[in-house]
């Protein structure tokens, strides 16, 4: 079993890029945090928030893409679920990125079936991954008896294989929901990617941070337009002493302490996989 390291800059790209002026320096700092020396690709966009993607700076993306391309690093564009009112703008934003498709951006990760259908039909040649929001196994490390065991994901089914074949899906992105994940039953035709060192615990349509500038009667509405207030605010939950819980935007994450203690034992099975490392700790400190 081998693994390739990738870096997840989704929803934190602006803050990560404030660590240093050059992308290469930023990546080196992140690699030091992750304990690795090489990076195969980076992920940009968002798994959970359409407002973040709609407000993503083309100038920043262009800078990052060009600099990582010079380093021989590929880019995965990650797309969230767009609500009906934002769908047209979402498609326009995707088209804005399309000049990079099959060059610097060589694959797209989608997080809902509607976007899977759209990308498959509109951009037929670009490889597609199913993102972490497509897989919803129970996850809550506060239930110690449930968490502290090895898990074989329930979604490796015949239906999943049919979907992968129908839409020519090339990769699956998974979160670790237990102390260890067994990927031996994953479809053999697809690449597997594992998110570390944080898993998403829950996500919703209401963003507390987006509500900050609104009048009290307008706060806490689903999918509020925003100015990426999430980049300037974080919520930390103190529930268990041995674990971090963070809220970034709409999403609550928990960390895997075991990842840093037993990095090579968190995934079992004979499959090779990508490790998608989110440098949230570096971003929070910055």
């Amino acid at each position: 079993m081998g693994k390739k390291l990738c870096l997840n800059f989704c929803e934190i790209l602006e803050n990560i890029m404030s660590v240093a002026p050059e992308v290469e320096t930023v990546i080196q700092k992140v690699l030091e945090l992750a304990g690795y020396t090489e990076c195969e690709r980076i992920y940009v966009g968002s798994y959970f928030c359409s407002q973040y993607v709609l407000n993503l700076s083309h100038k920043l993306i262009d800078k990052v893409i060009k600099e990582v391309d010079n380093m021989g690093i590929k880019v995965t564009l990650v797309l969230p679920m767009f609500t009906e009112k934002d769908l047209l703008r979402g498609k326009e934003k995707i088209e804005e990125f399309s000049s990079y498709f099959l060059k610097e951006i060589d694959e797209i990760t989608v997080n809902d079936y509607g976007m899977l259908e759209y990308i498959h039909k509109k951009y037929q040649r670009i490889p597609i991954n199913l993102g972490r929001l497509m897989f919803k196994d129970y996850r809550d490390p506060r239930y110690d008896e449930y968490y502290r065991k090895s898990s074989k994901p329930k979604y490796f089914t015949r239906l999943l294989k049919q979907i992968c074949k129908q839409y020519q899906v090339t990769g699956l992105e998974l979160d670790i929901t237990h102390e260890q994940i067994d990927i031996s039953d994953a479809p053999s035709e697809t690449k597997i990617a594992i998110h570390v060192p944080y898993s998403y615990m829950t996500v919703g349509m209401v963003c507390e941070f987006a509500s900050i500038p609104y009048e009290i009667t307008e706060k806490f509405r689903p999918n509020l337009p925003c100015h990426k207030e999430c980049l300037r605010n974080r919520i930390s939950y103190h529930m268990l002493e041995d674990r971090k819980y963070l809220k970034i935007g709409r999403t609550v994450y928990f960390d895997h302490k075991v990842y840093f203690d037993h990095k090579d034992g968190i995934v079992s099975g004979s499959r090779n996989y990508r490790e998608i490392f989110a440098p949230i700790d570096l971003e929070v400190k910055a």
Side-chain angles (χ1 to χ4, degrees):
M1 179 173 60
K3 58 185 175 183
K4 298 179 179 179
L5 183 70
C6 309
L7 300 178
N8 179 9
F9 291 164
C10 292
E11 298 176 21
I12 59 173
L13 181 63
E14 293 86 344
N15 286 357
I16 283 294
M17 288 308 302
S18 70
V19 172
E22 302 299 328
V23 176
E24 185 172 2
T25 305
V26 172
I27 288 178
Q28 288 304 318
K29 287 182 177 292
V30 174
L31 289 175
E32 289 173 14
L33 176 68
Y36 286 91
T37 57
E38 295 183 359
C39 170
E40 180 188 62
R41 69 174 53 243
I42 65 169
Y43 289 68
V44 298
S46 174
Y47 289 90
F48 307 109
C49 182
S50 59
Q51 294 301 318
Y52 178 87
V53 172
L54 293 174
N55 290 301
L56 197 53
S57 163
H58 184 81
K59 181 179 179 180
L60 176 61
I61 285 291
D62 187 65
K63 169 185 169 63
V64 171
I65 285 177
K66 287 180 177 177
E67 290 192 32
V68 298
D69 185 52
N70 290 335
M71 298 169 63
I73 296 173
K74 291 296 185 180
V75 179
T76 299
L77 176 64
V78 180
L79 300 175
M81 180 183 71
F82 293 95
T83 61
E84 192 67 29
K85 72 181 180 69
D86 289 329
L87 186 56
L88 180 58
R89 289 181 62 209
K91 291 179 178 179
E92 291 171 350
K93 194 69 176 181
I94 295 168
E95 186 63 25
E96 186 180 304
F97 294 129
S98 65
S99 61
Y100 303 111
F101 289 176
L102 296 172
K103 293 179 289 186
E104 298 90 349
I105 295 177
D106 66 341
E107 62 180 31
I108 295 176
T109 292
V110 300
N111 285 279
D112 71 288
Y113 288 104
M115 192 52 64
L116 172 62
E117 177 84 14
Y118 176 73
I119 295 297
H120 175 66
K121 288 184 176 179
K122 176 74 173 178
Y123 305 101
Q124 296 180 2
R125 293 170 54 210
I126 194 161
I128 302 174
N129 304 320
L130 299 186
R132 61 203 303 192
L133 197 53
M134 302 285 276
F135 305 105
K136 298 180 172 66
D137 271 17
Y138 295 129
R139 56 194 72 206
D140 194 335
R142 294 174 298 177
Y143 292 92
D144 197 63
E145 185 177 342
Y146 174 78
Y147 175 76
R148 294 194 182 282
K149 58 184 179 181
S150 180
S151 166
K152 274 196 172 184
K154 302 177 181 65
Y155 39 72
F156 293 148
T157 62
R158 185 169 61 182
L159 176 60
L160 177 63
K161 292 178 181 178
Q162 290 173 350
I163 291 170
C164 291
K165 183 177 180 180
Q166 178 181 350
Y167 292 99
Q168 299 173 325
V169 171
T170 57
L172 309 175
E173 297 183 24
L174 314 177
D175 278 274
I176 299 169
T177 56
H178 294 68
E179 203 165 56
Q180 187 180 64
I181 183 171
D182 185 343
I183 59 173
S184 56
D185 290 342
S188 58
E189 305 82 9
T190 56
K191 299 174 184 176
I192 300 298
I194 307 292
H195 285 271
V196 297
Y198 288 85
S199 292
Y200 89 88
M201 185 171 173
T202 187
V203 61
M205 293 298 291
V206 174
C207 180
E208 296 166 80
F209 307 117
S211 294
I212 290 172
Y214 285 82
E215 295 294 330
I216 188 68
T217 55
E218 301 297 323
K219 291 181 183 292
F220 311 122
R221 304 294 177 87
N223 203 38
L224 276 176
C226 70
H227 296 91
K228 293 192 284 192
E229 286 82 3
C230 60
L231 294 175
R232 301 185 296 276
N233 299 277
R234 293 286 183 264
I235 295 176
S236 178
Y237 301 94
H238 299 280
M239 291 184 280
L240 297 175
E241 291 183 1
D242 65 339
R243 194 174 307 281
K244 294 180 184 177
Y245 295 84
L246 289 173
K247 187 169 190 181
I248 300 177
R250 304 172 177 179
T251 311
V252 177
Y253 299 86
F254 64 89
D255 80 327
H256 292 281
K257 184 176 182 295
V258 67
Y259 171 78
F260 293 105
D261 295 339
H262 308 286
K263 186 176 292 188
D264 294 324
I266 201 166
V267 178
S268 64
S270 58
R271 293 287 303 274
N272 294 334
Y273 65 96
R274 291 179 184 173
E275 189 169 274
I276 306 177
F277 185 92
I280 293 174
D281 292 332
L282 178 65
E283 183 264 351
V284 169
K285 291 174 185 176

Short mmCIF file of all heavy atoms in Angstrom, two decimals, residues 196-233:
data_model
loop_
_atom_site.label_atom_id
_atom_site.label_comp_id
_atom_site.label_asym_id
_atom_site.label_seq_id
_atom_site.Cartn_x
_atom_site.Cartn_y
_atom_site.Cartn_z
N VAL A 196 -7.08 14.01 5.53
CA VAL A 196 -6.43 14.06 6.84
C VAL A 196 -5.98 15.51 7.09
O VAL A 196 -5.88 16.29 6.15
CB VAL A 196 -5.21 13.10 6.90
CG1 VAL A 196 -5.63 11.67 6.72
CG2 VAL A 196 -4.16 13.49 5.86
N PRO A 197 -5.62 15.89 8.31
CA PRO A 197 -5.84 15.17 9.56
C PRO A 197 -7.20 15.48 10.18
O PRO A 197 -7.46 15.10 11.31
CB PRO A 197 -4.71 15.70 10.44
CG PRO A 197 -4.55 17.12 10.00
CD PRO A 197 -4.83 17.12 8.52
N TYR A 198 -8.05 16.20 9.43
CA TYR A 198 -9.39 16.54 9.91
C TYR A 198 -10.45 15.86 9.05
O TYR A 198 -10.30 15.78 7.83
CB TYR A 198 -9.63 18.06 9.86
CG TYR A 198 -8.87 18.85 10.89
CD1 TYR A 198 -7.57 19.26 10.66
CD2 TYR A 198 -9.46 19.19 12.11
CE1 TYR A 198 -6.86 19.99 11.61
CE2 TYR A 198 -8.76 19.92 13.06
CZ TYR A 198 -7.47 20.32 12.80
OH TYR A 198 -6.78 21.04 13.75
N SER A 199 -11.51 15.39 9.70
CA SER A 199 -12.70 14.93 8.99
C SER A 199 -13.82 15.92 9.23
O SER A 199 -13.87 16.56 10.28
CB SER A 199 -13.14 13.55 9.51
OG SER A 199 -12.21 12.56 9.16
N TYR A 200 -14.71 16.03 8.25
CA TYR A 200 -15.86 16.89 8.51
C TYR A 200 -16.86 16.09 9.34
O TYR A 200 -17.09 14.91 9.11
CB TYR A 200 -16.46 17.44 7.22
CG TYR A 200 -17.53 16.60 6.55
CD1 TYR A 200 -18.87 16.75 6.91
CD2 TYR A 200 -17.21 15.70 5.55
CE1 TYR A 200 -19.86 16.00 6.28
CE2 TYR A 200 -18.19 14.95 4.92
CZ TYR A 200 -19.52 15.10 5.29
OH TYR A 200 -20.49 14.35 4.68
N MET A 201 -17.42 16.75 10.34
CA MET A 201 -18.35 16.10 11.26
C MET A 201 -19.80 16.38 10.86
O MET A 201 -20.64 15.50 10.83
CB MET A 201 -18.09 16.59 12.69
CG MET A 201 -18.91 15.91 13.76
SD MET A 201 -18.27 16.43 15.38
CE MET A 201 -19.49 15.70 16.45
N THR A 202 -20.06 17.64 10.53
CA THR A 202 -21.39 18.02 10.07
C THR A 202 -21.29 19.32 9.30
O THR A 202 -20.32 20.08 9.45
CB THR A 202 -22.36 18.17 11.26
OG1 THR A 202 -23.69 18.39 10.77
CG2 THR A 202 -21.98 19.33 12.15
N VAL A 203 -22.28 19.57 8.47
CA VAL A 203 -22.29 20.79 7.66
C VAL A 203 -23.75 21.19 7.44
O VAL A 203 -24.64 20.34 7.40
CB VAL A 203 -21.57 20.57 6.31
CG1 VAL A 203 -22.26 19.49 5.49
CG2 VAL A 203 -21.47 21.85 5.51
N GLY A 204 -23.99 22.49 7.33
CA GLY A 204 -25.34 22.98 7.12
C GLY A 204 -25.37 24.08 6.08
O GLY A 204 -24.34 24.49 5.54
N MET A 205 -26.55 24.59 5.82
CA MET A 205 -26.71 25.67 4.84
C MET A 205 -26.64 27.06 5.46
O MET A 205 -26.56 28.05 4.76
CB MET A 205 -28.06 25.51 4.12
CG MET A 205 -28.15 24.27 3.23
SD MET A 205 -26.93 24.30 1.90
CE MET A 205 -27.58 25.63 0.89
N VAL A 206 -26.70 27.12 6.79
CA VAL A 206 -26.65 28.42 7.48
C VAL A 206 -25.23 28.68 7.96
O VAL A 206 -24.61 27.84 8.61
CB VAL A 206 -27.62 28.44 8.68
CG1 VAL A 206 -27.46 29.73 9.48
CG2 VAL A 206 -29.06 28.29 8.20
N CYS A 207 -24.71 29.86 7.63
CA CYS A 207 -23.36 30.24 8.03
C CYS A 207 -23.43 31.38 9.04
O CYS A 207 -23.90 32.47 8.73
CB CYS A 207 -22.53 30.66 6.82
SG CYS A 207 -20.85 31.15 7.24
N GLU A 208 -22.95 31.10 10.25
CA GLU A 208 -22.94 32.14 11.29
C GLU A 208 -22.08 33.33 10.88
O GLU A 208 -22.42 34.48 11.14
CB GLU A 208 -22.40 31.56 12.60
CG GLU A 208 -23.26 30.47 13.20
CD GLU A 208 -22.52 29.71 14.28
OE1 GLU A 208 -22.46 30.22 15.41
OE2 GLU A 208 -22.01 28.61 13.98
N PHE A 209 -20.96 33.05 10.24
CA PHE A 209 -20.02 34.11 9.90
C PHE A 209 -20.60 35.04 8.83
O PHE A 209 -20.42 36.25 8.88
CB PHE A 209 -18.70 33.51 9.42
CG PHE A 209 -18.12 32.52 10.39
CD1 PHE A 209 -17.97 31.19 10.03
CD2 PHE A 209 -17.75 32.91 11.66
CE1 PHE A 209 -17.44 30.28 10.92
CE2 PHE A 209 -17.22 32.01 12.57
CZ PHE A 209 -17.07 30.68 12.20
N ALA A 210 -21.30 34.46 7.86
CA ALA A 210 -21.91 35.28 6.81
C ALA A 210 -22.95 36.23 7.39
O ALA A 210 -23.22 37.29 6.82
CB ALA A 210 -22.55 34.39 5.75
N SER A 211 -23.53 35.86 8.53
CA SER A 211 -24.58 36.68 9.14
C SER A 211 -24.04 37.90 9.88
O SER A 211 -24.82 38.79 10.25
CB SER A 211 -25.39 35.83 10.14
OG SER A 211 -26.10 34.81 9.47
N ILE A 212 -22.75 37.96 10.10
CA ILE A 212 -22.17 39.02 10.94
C ILE A 212 -22.61 40.43 10.52
O ILE A 212 -23.05 41.21 11.36
CB ILE A 212 -20.63 38.90 10.97
CG1 ILE A 212 -20.22 37.65 11.77
CG2 ILE A 212 -19.99 40.15 11.58
CD1 ILE A 212 -18.73 37.33 11.72
N PRO A 213 -22.54 40.82 9.24
CA PRO A 213 -22.87 42.20 8.90
C PRO A 213 -24.36 42.47 8.73
O PRO A 213 -24.75 43.62 8.50
CB PRO A 213 -22.13 42.41 7.57
CG PRO A 213 -22.11 41.06 6.95
CD PRO A 213 -22.00 40.08 8.09
N TYR A 214 -25.20 41.44 8.83
CA TYR A 214 -26.63 41.61 8.56
C TYR A 214 -27.37 42.10 9.80
O TYR A 214 -26.97 41.85 10.94
CB TYR A 214 -27.25 40.29 8.09
CG TYR A 214 -26.91 39.92 6.67
CD1 TYR A 214 -25.71 39.29 6.35
CD2 TYR A 214 -27.79 40.19 5.63
CE1 TYR A 214 -25.39 38.95 5.04
CE2 TYR A 214 -27.49 39.85 4.31
CZ TYR A 214 -26.29 39.23 4.03
OH TYR A 214 -25.98 38.89 2.73
N GLU A 215 -28.48 42.78 9.56
CA GLU A 215 -29.38 43.16 10.65
C GLU A 215 -29.95 41.90 11.29
O GLU A 215 -30.05 40.85 10.65
CB GLU A 215 -30.52 44.04 10.12
CG GLU A 215 -30.07 45.39 9.59
CD GLU A 215 -29.50 46.29 10.68
OE1 GLU A 215 -29.95 46.16 11.85
OE2 GLU A 215 -28.61 47.10 10.38
N ILE A 216 -30.35 42.02 12.55
CA ILE A 216 -30.77 40.85 13.32
C ILE A 216 -31.90 40.09 12.64
O ILE A 216 -31.97 38.86 12.68
CB ILE A 216 -31.18 41.27 14.76
CG1 ILE A 216 -31.43 40.04 15.63
CG2 ILE A 216 -32.39 42.19 14.74
CD1 ILE A 216 -30.21 39.23 15.94
N THR A 217 -32.79 40.81 11.96
CA THR A 217 -33.92 40.15 11.32
C THR A 217 -33.53 39.42 10.04
O THR A 217 -34.32 38.65 9.50
CB THR A 217 -35.02 41.18 10.98
OG1 THR A 217 -34.44 42.23 10.20
CG2 THR A 217 -35.64 41.74 12.25
N GLU A 218 -32.31 39.66 9.56
CA GLU A 218 -31.86 39.04 8.31
C GLU A 218 -30.78 37.98 8.54
O GLU A 218 -30.31 37.36 7.58
CB GLU A 218 -31.31 40.11 7.36
CG GLU A 218 -32.31 41.19 6.99
CD GLU A 218 -33.50 40.62 6.23
OE1 GLU A 218 -33.29 39.69 5.42
OE2 GLU A 218 -34.63 41.08 6.46
N LYS A 219 -30.39 37.77 9.78
CA LYS A 219 -29.32 36.82 10.06
C LYS A 219 -29.79 35.37 9.94
O LYS A 219 -30.98 35.08 9.98
CB LYS A 219 -28.77 37.04 11.48
CG LYS A 219 -28.01 38.35 11.68
CD LYS A 219 -27.50 38.45 13.11
CE LYS A 219 -26.80 39.77 13.38
NZ LYS A 219 -25.53 39.90 12.65
N PHE A 220 -28.81 34.48 9.82
CA PHE A 220 -29.03 33.03 9.91
C PHE A 220 -30.02 32.52 8.87
O PHE A 220 -30.86 31.68 9.16
CB PHE A 220 -29.45 32.63 11.33
CG PHE A 220 -28.56 33.22 12.39
CD1 PHE A 220 -29.08 34.02 13.39
CD2 PHE A 220 -27.20 32.98 12.37
CE1 PHE A 220 -28.26 34.58 14.35
CE2 PHE A 220 -26.36 33.53 13.33
CZ PHE A 220 -26.89 34.33 14.33
N ARG A 221 -29.90 33.05 7.67
CA ARG A 221 -30.70 32.57 6.55
C ARG A 221 -29.84 31.60 5.72
O ARG A 221 -28.63 31.78 5.62
CB ARG A 221 -31.16 33.73 5.67
CG ARG A 221 -31.94 34.81 6.41
CD ARG A 221 -33.27 34.30 6.93
NE ARG A 221 -33.99 35.30 7.71
CZ ARG A 221 -34.82 36.20 7.18
NH1 ARG A 221 -35.00 36.25 5.87
NH2 ARG A 221 -35.44 37.06 7.96
N PRO A 222 -30.46 30.60 5.12
CA PRO A 222 -29.67 29.66 4.31
C PRO A 222 -28.96 30.35 3.15
O PRO A 222 -29.55 31.16 2.44
CB PRO A 222 -30.74 28.67 3.80
CG PRO A 222 -31.87 28.79 4.77
CD PRO A 222 -31.87 30.22 5.21
N ASN A 223 -27.69 30.01 2.99
CA ASN A 223 -26.91 30.42 1.83
C ASN A 223 -26.89 31.93 1.62
O ASN A 223 -27.04 32.43 0.51
CB ASN A 223 -27.46 29.73 0.56
CG ASN A 223 -26.42 29.66 -0.54
OD1 ASN A 223 -25.24 29.42 -0.27
ND2 ASN A 223 -26.83 29.86 -1.77
N LEU A 224 -26.66 32.67 2.69
CA LEU A 224 -26.59 34.13 2.59
C LEU A 224 -25.39 34.55 1.74
O LEU A 224 -24.29 34.01 1.89
CB LEU A 224 -26.41 34.74 3.98
CG LEU A 224 -27.65 35.00 4.83
CD1 LEU A 224 -27.22 35.52 6.20
CD2 LEU A 224 -28.59 35.99 4.16
N PRO A 225 -25.58 35.53 0.85
CA PRO A 225 -24.41 36.12 0.18
C PRO A 225 -23.47 36.71 1.23
O PRO A 225 -23.91 37.22 2.26
CB PRO A 225 -25.03 37.22 -0.68
CG PRO A 225 -26.45 36.78 -0.89
CD PRO A 225 -26.85 36.09 0.38
N CYS A 226 -22.17 36.63 0.97
CA CYS A 226 -21.23 37.04 2.00
C CYS A 226 -19.99 37.68 1.38
O CYS A 226 -19.85 37.75 0.16
CB CYS A 226 -20.81 35.83 2.84
SG CYS A 226 -19.77 34.66 1.93
N HIS A 227 -19.11 38.13 2.26
CA HIS A 227 -17.81 38.67 1.86
C HIS A 227 -16.70 37.81 2.46
O HIS A 227 -15.66 38.31 2.86
CB HIS A 227 -17.68 40.13 2.29
CG HIS A 227 -18.66 41.04 1.62
ND1 HIS A 227 -19.89 41.32 2.17
CD2 HIS A 227 -18.61 41.69 0.43
CE1 HIS A 227 -20.55 42.13 1.36
NE2 HIS A 227 -19.80 42.37 0.30
N LYS A 228 -16.96 36.52 2.55
CA LYS A 228 -16.00 35.55 3.08
C LYS A 228 -15.53 35.92 4.49
O LYS A 228 -14.34 35.91 4.80
CB LYS A 228 -14.83 35.37 2.12
CG LYS A 228 -15.25 34.71 0.81
CD LYS A 228 -14.07 34.27 -0.03
CE LYS A 228 -13.41 35.43 -0.71
NZ LYS A 228 -12.45 35.01 -1.74
N GLU A 229 -16.52 36.27 5.32
CA GLU A 229 -16.20 36.55 6.73
C GLU A 229 -15.56 35.35 7.41
O GLU A 229 -14.85 35.49 8.41
CB GLU A 229 -17.48 36.96 7.48
CG GLU A 229 -18.00 38.35 7.18
CD GLU A 229 -18.82 38.42 5.90
OE1 GLU A 229 -19.05 37.36 5.27
OE2 GLU A 229 -19.25 39.53 5.52
N CYS A 230 -15.78 34.16 6.86
CA CYS A 230 -15.21 32.95 7.45
C CYS A 230 -13.69 32.97 7.45
O CYS A 230 -13.05 32.29 8.27
CB CYS A 230 -15.70 31.71 6.69
SG CYS A 230 -15.27 31.70 4.93
N LEU A 231 -13.08 33.75 6.56
CA LEU A 231 -11.62 33.82 6.51
C LEU A 231 -11.05 34.56 7.72
O LEU A 231 -9.87 34.41 8.04
CB LEU A 231 -11.17 34.50 5.22
CG LEU A 231 -11.47 33.76 3.92
CD1 LEU A 231 -11.09 34.62 2.73
CD2 LEU A 231 -10.75 32.42 3.87
N ARG A 232 -11.87 35.35 8.37
CA ARG A 232 -11.40 36.16 9.50
C ARG A 232 -11.91 35.64 10.84
O ARG A 232 -11.61 36.23 11.88
CB ARG A 232 -11.83 37.62 9.32
CG ARG A 232 -11.32 38.25 8.04
CD ARG A 232 -11.68 39.72 7.95
NE ARG A 232 -13.12 39.94 7.89
CZ ARG A 232 -13.83 39.89 6.76
NH1 ARG A 232 -13.24 39.59 5.62
NH2 ARG A 232 -15.13 40.11 6.77
N ASN A 233 -12.67 34.56 10.82
CA ASN A 233 -13.28 34.07 12.05
C ASN A 233 -13.25 32.55 12.10
O ASN A 233 -13.43 31.88 11.08
CB ASN A 233 -14.74 34.53 12.15
CG ASN A 233 -14.89 36.03 12.17
OD1 ASN A 233 -14.76 36.66 13.20
ND2 ASN A 233 -15.15 36.62 11.00
#
